Amino acid sequence: PERVRCHSLDEDGSLNLNLCRATRSLSDETGFFLFGQKDAENLKSVIEESLRADLQERVQGSLRETAEELATTQLAGTQDASRLCLRSHSDLSDWVEQTFTNELAAAAAAESASKLHEKHEAFAEGQTLVVPPATDAILHENLVDHEQMVNSIYLSQGLNLERSQQQARQFLKDIKMRPFDMGVKNVDKSGREILNQCFYLSLARAYLGHEAPTSVLALHLKHAIESSVLDARPAWAAAAGLGDVNNETMAFADFLPIAMHAEAPPRKKNILSELVVCILDSVTGHVDVYIGPKYEQLKSKPVQERSLLLLWYTPGHYQCLVVDDEPGSKPSLTYSEFKEILTKHGVMYLETTE
């Protein structure tokens, strides 16, 4: 892992910067809002080890699915991973350009969202986490009951799951947000139903907000992200790829750094390189932030806000985070402003730029 800067608050409230090492992916950022760092890391480690085989099956299955679909629907059946990757990023870039034709349109959309925020109450009374139905959560044979397993792990660590979930809900209430569930199902280009799509559907909703359809963008994101992985790490889709002792990748979010640093198509953008994706973990209370290398070059504040995507994670399932108002508006925040919120609430975070 690359060296990163560790940002945390001392007891007197001053910012403490220390060099430390990231423990998961090529580019991430981690903070804790439920437990101390040691307890959170221990809990996270136990949960990830318990769910490893299940999550690897989902991730590998999705990679194989993307490889098969792109090989049959793009570039006359080519199996060239680099060409498929460029084509997928090109399709994503074209879609975004057509949706947001200019900076004025983006600014108008952001202004409209801001007005919606003012019309609704800051908090929704009695808001609870949205948990997917068991029939949707179990998408492969032999998948475990995640909620039951997590509860058992908490008990084994001398911790109370319900109490920590209450703390998590309070943290979201304090920052005036709530999770919004996008489900797990989408449709591919051939019209076939595909499962385990909560990550990409949540990314699409977090990017577009509540007024735009998300299924097409979610599919473009899946293709661009996973084709980048297939190009850079082809062995990960193989039978033993994700199970290799030297490979810690096991969540869809771990694909983001590879996709964010993928080569841009000729005369087009790598849209993912302009994003910052923040994932708040509802169980351990940590925050992963994946920073695209082009985000800091964005000059327009509305575009910076649009390019900040906030997700909520429970074991095996992603949701997007929205403003705690009636329509579930997209938060109007830049990454810098979101960091200020984390600092205000004493949340430690780590930053890497590679």
Short mmCIF file of all heavy atoms in Angstrom, two decimals, residues 269-324:
data_model
loop_
_atom_site.label_atom_id
_atom_site.label_comp_id
_atom_site.label_asym_id
_atom_site.label_seq_id
_atom_site.Cartn_x
_atom_site.Cartn_y
_atom_site.Cartn_z
N LYS A 269 -13.05 12.11 -21.87
CA LYS A 269 -12.66 12.07 -20.47
C LYS A 269 -12.80 10.66 -19.91
O LYS A 269 -13.62 9.87 -20.36
CB LYS A 269 -13.56 12.99 -19.62
CG LYS A 269 -13.45 14.46 -19.93
CD LYS A 269 -14.41 15.22 -19.02
CE LYS A 269 -14.35 16.71 -19.25
NZ LYS A 269 -15.30 17.42 -18.33
N ASN A 270 -11.98 10.37 -18.90
CA ASN A 270 -12.29 9.27 -17.99
C ASN A 270 -13.13 9.89 -16.89
O ASN A 270 -12.60 10.53 -15.98
CB ASN A 270 -11.01 8.64 -17.44
CG ASN A 270 -11.30 7.61 -16.36
OD1 ASN A 270 -12.45 7.38 -15.97
ND2 ASN A 270 -10.25 6.98 -15.85
N ILE A 271 -14.43 9.77 -16.99
CA ILE A 271 -15.34 10.40 -16.04
C ILE A 271 -15.03 9.99 -14.61
O ILE A 271 -15.11 10.80 -13.67
CB ILE A 271 -16.81 10.05 -16.38
CG1 ILE A 271 -17.19 10.62 -17.76
CG2 ILE A 271 -17.76 10.57 -15.31
CD1 ILE A 271 -17.12 12.11 -17.87
N LEU A 272 -14.64 8.74 -14.42
CA LEU A 272 -14.37 8.24 -13.07
C LEU A 272 -13.18 8.94 -12.43
O LEU A 272 -13.10 9.02 -11.20
CB LEU A 272 -14.13 6.73 -13.11
CG LEU A 272 -15.37 5.92 -13.52
CD1 LEU A 272 -14.98 4.55 -14.02
CD2 LEU A 272 -16.34 5.80 -12.35
N SER A 273 -12.26 9.46 -13.25
CA SER A 273 -11.09 10.15 -12.70
C SER A 273 -11.46 11.47 -12.05
O SER A 273 -10.65 12.06 -11.32
CB SER A 273 -10.05 10.39 -13.80
OG SER A 273 -10.50 11.39 -14.71
N GLU A 274 -12.69 11.97 -12.32
CA GLU A 274 -13.14 13.25 -11.77
C GLU A 274 -13.99 13.08 -10.52
O GLU A 274 -14.45 14.06 -9.94
CB GLU A 274 -13.94 14.01 -12.82
CG GLU A 274 -13.14 14.37 -14.07
CD GLU A 274 -13.96 15.14 -15.07
OE1 GLU A 274 -15.21 15.12 -14.95
OE2 GLU A 274 -13.36 15.77 -15.97
N LEU A 275 -14.20 11.84 -10.09
CA LEU A 275 -15.09 11.59 -8.96
C LEU A 275 -14.33 11.44 -7.64
O LEU A 275 -13.16 11.08 -7.61
CB LEU A 275 -15.89 10.30 -9.19
CG LEU A 275 -16.75 10.21 -10.44
CD1 LEU A 275 -17.49 8.87 -10.46
CD2 LEU A 275 -17.73 11.37 -10.53
N VAL A 276 -15.05 11.73 -6.56
CA VAL A 276 -14.64 11.33 -5.21
C VAL A 276 -15.80 10.51 -4.64
O VAL A 276 -16.93 11.00 -4.60
CB VAL A 276 -14.34 12.53 -4.30
CG1 VAL A 276 -14.10 12.06 -2.87
CG2 VAL A 276 -13.14 13.30 -4.81
N VAL A 277 -15.52 9.27 -4.28
CA VAL A 277 -16.55 8.38 -3.76
C VAL A 277 -16.26 8.10 -2.29
O VAL A 277 -15.21 7.55 -1.95
CB VAL A 277 -16.60 7.06 -4.55
CG1 VAL A 277 -17.68 6.14 -3.98
CG2 VAL A 277 -16.85 7.33 -6.03
N CYS A 278 -17.18 8.49 -1.42
CA CYS A 278 -17.04 8.30 0.02
C CYS A 278 -18.02 7.21 0.46
O CYS A 278 -19.22 7.31 0.20
CB CYS A 278 -17.36 9.58 0.78
SG CYS A 278 -16.39 11.01 0.24
N ILE A 279 -17.50 6.19 1.13
CA ILE A 279 -18.34 5.07 1.56
C ILE A 279 -18.29 4.97 3.08
O ILE A 279 -17.24 4.70 3.66
CB ILE A 279 -17.87 3.75 0.92
CG1 ILE A 279 -17.87 3.89 -0.60
CG2 ILE A 279 -18.76 2.60 1.37
CD1 ILE A 279 -17.34 2.67 -1.34
N LEU A 280 -19.44 5.22 3.71
CA LEU A 280 -19.55 5.16 5.17
C LEU A 280 -20.04 3.77 5.56
O LEU A 280 -21.07 3.32 5.08
CB LEU A 280 -20.52 6.23 5.68
CG LEU A 280 -20.04 7.68 5.61
CD1 LEU A 280 -20.10 8.23 4.19
CD2 LEU A 280 -20.87 8.57 6.54
N ASP A 281 -19.29 3.09 6.41
CA ASP A 281 -19.61 1.73 6.83
C ASP A 281 -20.49 1.78 8.07
O ASP A 281 -20.10 2.27 9.12
CB ASP A 281 -18.32 0.96 7.13
CG ASP A 281 -18.55 -0.52 7.30
OD1 ASP A 281 -19.42 -0.89 8.13
OD2 ASP A 281 -17.88 -1.31 6.64
N SER A 282 -21.70 1.23 7.95
CA SER A 282 -22.68 1.32 9.03
C SER A 282 -22.39 0.39 10.19
O SER A 282 -22.99 0.52 11.25
CB SER A 282 -24.08 1.00 8.49
OG SER A 282 -24.18 -0.37 8.15
N VAL A 283 -21.50 -0.56 10.00
CA VAL A 283 -21.21 -1.53 11.05
C VAL A 283 -19.98 -1.14 11.86
O VAL A 283 -20.02 -1.03 13.07
CB VAL A 283 -21.04 -2.95 10.46
CG1 VAL A 283 -20.62 -3.94 11.54
CG2 VAL A 283 -22.34 -3.41 9.82
N THR A 284 -18.88 -0.92 11.18
CA THR A 284 -17.64 -0.61 11.89
C THR A 284 -17.47 0.88 12.15
O THR A 284 -16.68 1.27 13.00
CB THR A 284 -16.42 -1.11 11.10
OG1 THR A 284 -16.37 -0.43 9.84
CG2 THR A 284 -16.51 -2.60 10.86
N GLY A 285 -18.19 1.72 11.39
CA GLY A 285 -18.08 3.16 11.59
C GLY A 285 -16.87 3.78 10.94
O GLY A 285 -16.38 4.79 11.43
N HIS A 286 -16.36 3.20 9.86
CA HIS A 286 -15.24 3.83 9.17
C HIS A 286 -15.71 4.40 7.85
O HIS A 286 -16.80 4.09 7.36
CB HIS A 286 -14.09 2.84 8.95
CG HIS A 286 -14.35 1.84 7.87
ND1 HIS A 286 -14.99 0.64 8.10
CD2 HIS A 286 -14.05 1.86 6.54
CE1 HIS A 286 -15.07 -0.04 6.98
NE2 HIS A 286 -14.53 0.68 6.02
N VAL A 287 -14.88 5.25 7.26
CA VAL A 287 -15.21 5.90 6.00
C VAL A 287 -14.09 5.64 5.00
O VAL A 287 -12.93 5.93 5.29
CB VAL A 287 -15.38 7.43 6.16
CG1 VAL A 287 -15.73 8.08 4.83
CG2 VAL A 287 -16.43 7.74 7.22
N ASP A 288 -14.41 5.07 3.85
CA ASP A 288 -13.45 4.91 2.76
C ASP A 288 -13.73 5.98 1.73
O ASP A 288 -14.88 6.14 1.30
CB ASP A 288 -13.60 3.54 2.08
CG ASP A 288 -13.13 2.39 2.96
OD1 ASP A 288 -12.28 2.63 3.82
OD2 ASP A 288 -13.64 1.27 2.77
N VAL A 289 -12.70 6.70 1.30
CA VAL A 289 -12.87 7.74 0.30
C VAL A 289 -11.91 7.46 -0.86
O VAL A 289 -10.72 7.38 -0.66
CB VAL A 289 -12.60 9.14 0.87
CG1 VAL A 289 -12.79 10.21 -0.20
CG2 VAL A 289 -13.49 9.41 2.06
N TYR A 290 -12.46 7.28 -2.03
CA TYR A 290 -11.69 7.00 -3.23
C TYR A 290 -11.65 8.26 -4.07
O TYR A 290 -12.68 8.76 -4.52
CB TYR A 290 -12.32 5.84 -4.01
CG TYR A 290 -12.40 4.57 -3.21
CD1 TYR A 290 -13.47 4.34 -2.35
CD2 TYR A 290 -11.39 3.61 -3.28
CE1 TYR A 290 -13.53 3.16 -1.59
CE2 TYR A 290 -11.45 2.44 -2.54
CZ TYR A 290 -12.52 2.22 -1.70
OH TYR A 290 -12.60 1.07 -0.95
N ILE A 291 -10.44 8.79 -4.30
CA ILE A 291 -10.27 10.11 -4.89
C ILE A 291 -9.74 10.00 -6.31
O ILE A 291 -8.64 9.49 -6.52
CB ILE A 291 -9.30 10.96 -4.05
CG1 ILE A 291 -9.75 11.00 -2.59
CG2 ILE A 291 -9.18 12.37 -4.62
CD1 ILE A 291 -8.75 11.63 -1.65
N GLY A 292 -10.52 10.45 -7.27
CA GLY A 292 -10.05 10.47 -8.65
C GLY A 292 -8.99 11.53 -8.85
O GLY A 292 -9.06 12.63 -8.27
N PRO A 293 -7.98 11.27 -9.68
CA PRO A 293 -6.85 12.20 -9.84
C PRO A 293 -7.21 13.52 -10.51
O PRO A 293 -6.46 14.49 -10.42
CB PRO A 293 -5.86 11.41 -10.71
CG PRO A 293 -6.70 10.40 -11.44
CD PRO A 293 -7.81 10.05 -10.49
N LYS A 294 -8.39 13.60 -11.15
CA LYS A 294 -8.77 14.83 -11.85
C LYS A 294 -9.76 15.68 -11.05
O LYS A 294 -10.13 16.77 -11.50
CB LYS A 294 -9.40 14.48 -13.20
CG LYS A 294 -8.50 13.69 -14.14
CD LYS A 294 -7.34 14.51 -14.64
CE LYS A 294 -6.57 13.74 -15.70
NZ LYS A 294 -5.40 14.51 -16.20
N TYR A 295 -10.18 15.20 -9.88
CA TYR A 295 -11.21 15.93 -9.15
C TYR A 295 -10.74 17.34 -8.80
O TYR A 295 -11.50 18.31 -8.94
CB TYR A 295 -11.61 15.19 -7.87
CG TYR A 295 -12.67 15.91 -7.07
CD1 TYR A 295 -14.01 15.81 -7.40
CD2 TYR A 295 -12.33 16.73 -5.99
CE1 TYR A 295 -14.99 16.48 -6.69
CE2 TYR A 295 -13.30 17.41 -5.27
CZ TYR A 295 -14.63 17.27 -5.61
OH TYR A 295 -15.59 17.95 -4.90
N GLU A 296 -9.52 17.48 -8.35
CA GLU A 296 -9.03 18.79 -7.91
C GLU A 296 -8.93 19.77 -9.06
O GLU A 296 -8.82 20.98 -8.84
CB GLU A 296 -7.68 18.65 -7.22
CG GLU A 296 -7.76 17.93 -5.87
CD GLU A 296 -6.44 17.95 -5.13
OE1 GLU A 296 -5.45 18.46 -5.72
OE2 GLU A 296 -6.39 17.47 -3.99
N GLN A 297 -8.94 19.28 -10.29
CA GLN A 297 -8.85 20.17 -11.45
C GLN A 297 -10.21 20.73 -11.86
O GLN A 297 -10.28 21.61 -12.74
CB GLN A 297 -8.22 19.42 -12.62
CG GLN A 297 -6.81 18.93 -12.34
CD GLN A 297 -6.22 18.12 -13.49
OE1 GLN A 297 -6.66 18.23 -14.64
NE2 GLN A 297 -5.24 17.30 -13.19
N LEU A 298 -11.28 20.24 -11.25
CA LEU A 298 -12.61 20.76 -11.57
C LEU A 298 -12.74 22.18 -11.03
O LEU A 298 -12.52 22.41 -9.84
CB LEU A 298 -13.69 19.86 -10.98
CG LEU A 298 -13.70 18.40 -11.45
CD1 LEU A 298 -14.77 17.61 -10.69
CD2 LEU A 298 -13.95 18.32 -12.96
N LYS A 299 -13.12 23.11 -11.86
CA LYS A 299 -13.17 24.52 -11.47
C LYS A 299 -14.55 24.95 -11.00
O LYS A 299 -14.69 25.85 -10.17
CB LYS A 299 -12.73 25.40 -12.65
CG LYS A 299 -11.34 25.09 -13.18
CD LYS A 299 -10.27 25.24 -12.10
CE LYS A 299 -8.88 24.97 -12.66
NZ LYS A 299 -7.84 25.04 -11.61
N SER A 300 -15.58 24.33 -11.53
CA SER A 300 -16.95 24.74 -11.21
C SER A 300 -17.42 24.07 -9.93
O SER A 300 -17.32 22.85 -9.78
CB SER A 300 -17.88 24.35 -12.37
OG SER A 300 -19.22 24.41 -11.98
N LYS A 301 -17.92 24.87 -8.99
CA LYS A 301 -18.42 24.32 -7.73
C LYS A 301 -19.59 23.36 -7.95
O LYS A 301 -19.62 22.29 -7.33
CB LYS A 301 -18.82 25.44 -6.77
CG LYS A 301 -19.16 24.95 -5.36
CD LYS A 301 -19.40 26.12 -4.42
CE LYS A 301 -19.57 25.64 -2.98
NZ LYS A 301 -20.83 24.89 -2.79
N PRO A 302 -20.57 23.67 -8.82
CA PRO A 302 -21.64 22.70 -9.06
C PRO A 302 -21.14 21.36 -9.59
O PRO A 302 -21.66 20.31 -9.24
CB PRO A 302 -22.53 23.40 -10.09
CG PRO A 302 -22.30 24.85 -9.85
CD PRO A 302 -20.85 24.96 -9.49
N VAL A 303 -20.10 21.39 -10.43
CA VAL A 303 -19.55 20.14 -10.95
C VAL A 303 -18.79 19.40 -9.85
O VAL A 303 -18.83 18.17 -9.78
CB VAL A 303 -18.64 20.41 -12.17
CG1 VAL A 303 -18.00 19.11 -12.65
CG2 VAL A 303 -19.46 21.03 -13.31
N GLN A 304 -18.11 20.12 -8.99
CA GLN A 304 -17.44 19.49 -7.84
C GLN A 304 -18.47 18.81 -6.95
O GLN A 304 -18.24 17.70 -6.46
CB GLN A 304 -16.67 20.53 -7.04
CG GLN A 304 -15.44 21.08 -7.74
CD GLN A 304 -14.76 22.17 -6.93
OE1 GLN A 304 -15.15 22.46 -5.80
NE2 GLN A 304 -13.74 22.79 -7.50
N GLU A 305 -19.61 19.46 -6.75
CA GLU A 305 -20.67 18.87 -5.93
C GLU A 305 -21.26 17.64 -6.60
O GLU A 305 -21.49 16.62 -5.95
CB GLU A 305 -21.76 19.91 -5.68
CG GLU A 305 -21.31 21.07 -4.80
CD GLU A 305 -22.37 22.16 -4.69
OE1 GLU A 305 -23.38 22.08 -5.43
OE2 GLU A 305 -22.20 23.08 -3.87
N ARG A 306 -21.49 17.72 -7.89
CA ARG A 306 -22.04 16.59 -8.62
C ARG A 306 -21.08 15.40 -8.59
O ARG A 306 -21.49 14.24 -8.59
CB ARG A 306 -22.31 16.99 -10.07
CG ARG A 306 -23.03 15.93 -10.89
CD ARG A 306 -23.27 16.40 -12.30
NE ARG A 306 -22.09 16.27 -13.13
CZ ARG A 306 -21.73 17.12 -14.08
NH1 ARG A 306 -22.44 18.20 -14.28
NH2 ARG A 306 -20.66 16.90 -14.81
N SER A 307 -19.78 15.68 -8.54
CA SER A 307 -18.76 14.64 -8.62
C SER A 307 -18.42 14.03 -7.27
O SER A 307 -17.56 13.14 -7.20
CB SER A 307 -17.49 15.21 -9.27
OG SER A 307 -17.77 15.69 -10.57
N LEU A 308 -19.06 14.49 -6.20
CA LEU A 308 -18.90 13.87 -4.88
C LEU A 308 -20.05 12.89 -4.68
O LEU A 308 -21.21 13.27 -4.66
CB LEU A 308 -18.91 14.91 -3.77
CG LEU A 308 -18.86 14.34 -2.34
CD1 LEU A 308 -17.52 13.68 -2.06
CD2 LEU A 308 -19.14 15.43 -1.30
N LEU A 309 -19.72 11.62 -4.52
CA LEU A 309 -20.72 10.56 -4.37
C LEU A 309 -20.60 9.95 -2.98
O LEU A 309 -19.51 9.53 -2.56
CB LEU A 309 -20.52 9.47 -5.43
CG LEU A 309 -21.05 9.74 -6.84
CD1 LEU A 309 -20.49 11.01 -7.43
CD2 LEU A 309 -20.73 8.56 -7.75
N LEU A 310 -21.71 9.92 -2.25
CA LEU A 310 -21.73 9.41 -0.87
C LEU A 310 -22.55 8.13 -0.81
O LEU A 310 -23.72 8.12 -1.21
CB LEU A 310 -22.31 10.46 0.08
CG LEU A 310 -21.64 11.84 0.06
CD1 LEU A 310 -22.35 12.78 1.05
CD2 LEU A 310 -20.17 11.74 0.38
N LEU A 311 -21.94 7.06 -0.29
CA LEU A 311 -22.61 5.77 -0.18
C LEU A 311 -22.62 5.30 1.27
O LEU A 311 -21.79 5.71 2.08
CB LEU A 311 -21.93 4.70 -1.05
CG LEU A 311 -21.79 4.95 -2.54
CD1 LEU A 311 -21.27 3.69 -3.24
CD2 LEU A 311 -23.09 5.40 -3.17
N TRP A 312 -23.54 4.40 1.58
CA TRP A 312 -23.71 3.78 2.90
C TRP A 312 -23.57 2.27 2.71
O TRP A 312 -24.18 1.69 1.80
CB TRP A 312 -25.08 4.14 3.43
CG TRP A 312 -25.38 3.70 4.84
CD1 TRP A 312 -26.21 2.69 5.23
CD2 TRP A 312 -24.90 4.30 6.05
NE1 TRP A 312 -26.27 2.61 6.60
CE2 TRP A 312 -25.47 3.59 7.14
CE3 TRP A 312 -24.04 5.36 6.32
CZ2 TRP A 312 -25.21 3.91 8.46
CZ3 TRP A 312 -23.78 5.67 7.64
CH2 TRP A 312 -24.36 4.97 8.70
N TYR A 313 -22.76 1.64 3.53
CA TYR A 313 -22.48 0.22 3.35
C TYR A 313 -22.89 -0.59 4.57
O TYR A 313 -22.54 -0.25 5.70
CB TYR A 313 -20.99 0.00 3.09
CG TYR A 313 -20.61 -1.45 2.89
CD1 TYR A 313 -20.95 -2.13 1.72
CD2 TYR A 313 -19.93 -2.15 3.88
CE1 TYR A 313 -20.61 -3.46 1.54
CE2 TYR A 313 -19.59 -3.50 3.70
CZ TYR A 313 -19.92 -4.13 2.52
OH TYR A 313 -19.60 -5.45 2.35
N THR A 314 -23.67 -1.63 4.33
CA THR A 314 -23.90 -2.68 5.32
C THR A 314 -23.32 -3.95 4.71
O THR A 314 -23.18 -4.04 3.48
CB THR A 314 -25.40 -2.87 5.60
OG1 THR A 314 -26.08 -3.16 4.37
CG2 THR A 314 -26.01 -1.62 6.22
N PRO A 315 -22.95 -4.95 5.50
CA PRO A 315 -22.26 -6.12 4.94
C PRO A 315 -22.98 -6.72 3.74
O PRO A 315 -24.11 -7.17 3.82
CB PRO A 315 -22.23 -7.09 6.12
CG PRO A 315 -22.16 -6.20 7.31
CD PRO A 315 -23.08 -5.05 6.97
N GLY A 316 -22.33 -6.66 2.58
CA GLY A 316 -22.88 -7.22 1.36
C GLY A 316 -23.84 -6.33 0.61
O GLY A 316 -24.41 -6.75 -0.40
N HIS A 317 -24.07 -5.09 1.05
CA HIS A 317 -25.07 -4.24 0.39
C HIS A 317 -24.69 -2.77 0.47
O HIS A 317 -24.24 -2.28 1.51
CB HIS A 317 -26.43 -4.44 1.04
CG HIS A 317 -27.55 -3.79 0.30
ND1 HIS A 317 -27.90 -4.13 -0.99
CD2 HIS A 317 -28.42 -2.81 0.66
CE1 HIS A 317 -28.94 -3.39 -1.38
NE2 HIS A 317 -29.26 -2.59 -0.40
N TYR A 318 -24.86 -2.07 -0.66
CA TYR A 318 -24.60 -0.63 -0.74
C TYR A 318 -25.91 0.13 -0.93
O TYR A 318 -26.83 -0.32 -1.62
CB TYR A 318 -23.69 -0.30 -1.93
CG TYR A 318 -22.29 -0.84 -1.82
CD1 TYR A 318 -21.97 -2.08 -2.36
CD2 TYR A 318 -21.28 -0.10 -1.21
CE1 TYR A 318 -20.68 -2.57 -2.28
CE2 TYR A 318 -19.99 -0.58 -1.13
CZ TYR A 318 -19.69 -1.82 -1.66
OH TYR A 318 -18.41 -2.32 -1.58
N GLN A 319 -25.97 1.32 -0.32
CA GLN A 319 -27.04 2.28 -0.54
C GLN A 319 -26.41 3.64 -0.78
O GLN A 319 -25.25 3.87 -0.40
CB GLN A 319 -27.98 2.35 0.67
CG GLN A 319 -28.67 1.03 1.00
CD GLN A 319 -29.31 1.07 2.38
OE1 GLN A 319 -28.62 1.13 3.39
NE2 GLN A 319 -30.64 1.04 2.41
N CYS A 320 -27.15 4.55 -1.41
CA CYS A 320 -26.62 5.91 -1.54
C CYS A 320 -27.09 6.74 -0.34
O CYS A 320 -28.11 6.43 0.27
CB CYS A 320 -27.06 6.54 -2.85
SG CYS A 320 -28.84 6.65 -3.08
N LEU A 321 -26.33 7.75 -0.03
CA LEU A 321 -26.71 8.69 1.03
C LEU A 321 -27.34 9.92 0.38
O LEU A 321 -26.80 10.47 -0.59
CB LEU A 321 -25.51 9.10 1.87
CG LEU A 321 -25.04 8.09 2.91
CD1 LEU A 321 -23.78 8.59 3.62
CD2 LEU A 321 -26.13 7.78 3.92
N VAL A 322 -28.48 10.34 0.92
CA VAL A 322 -29.21 11.47 0.38
C VAL A 322 -29.52 12.45 1.51
O VAL A 322 -29.40 12.12 2.69
CB VAL A 322 -30.52 11.01 -0.30
CG1 VAL A 322 -30.22 10.04 -1.43
CG2 VAL A 322 -31.47 10.36 0.72
N VAL A 323 -29.93 13.64 1.13
CA VAL A 323 -30.38 14.62 2.11
C VAL A 323 -31.63 14.08 2.80
O VAL A 323 -32.49 13.45 2.17
CB VAL A 323 -30.68 15.97 1.44
CG1 VAL A 323 -31.28 16.97 2.44
CG2 VAL A 323 -29.41 16.54 0.83
N ASP A 324 -31.76 14.32 4.09
CA ASP A 324 -32.89 13.79 4.85
C ASP A 324 -34.12 14.68 4.65
O ASP A 324 -34.65 15.27 5.59
CB ASP A 324 -32.51 13.71 6.33
CG ASP A 324 -33.43 12.76 7.09
OD1 ASP A 324 -34.32 12.18 6.45
OD2 ASP A 324 -33.24 12.62 8.31
#
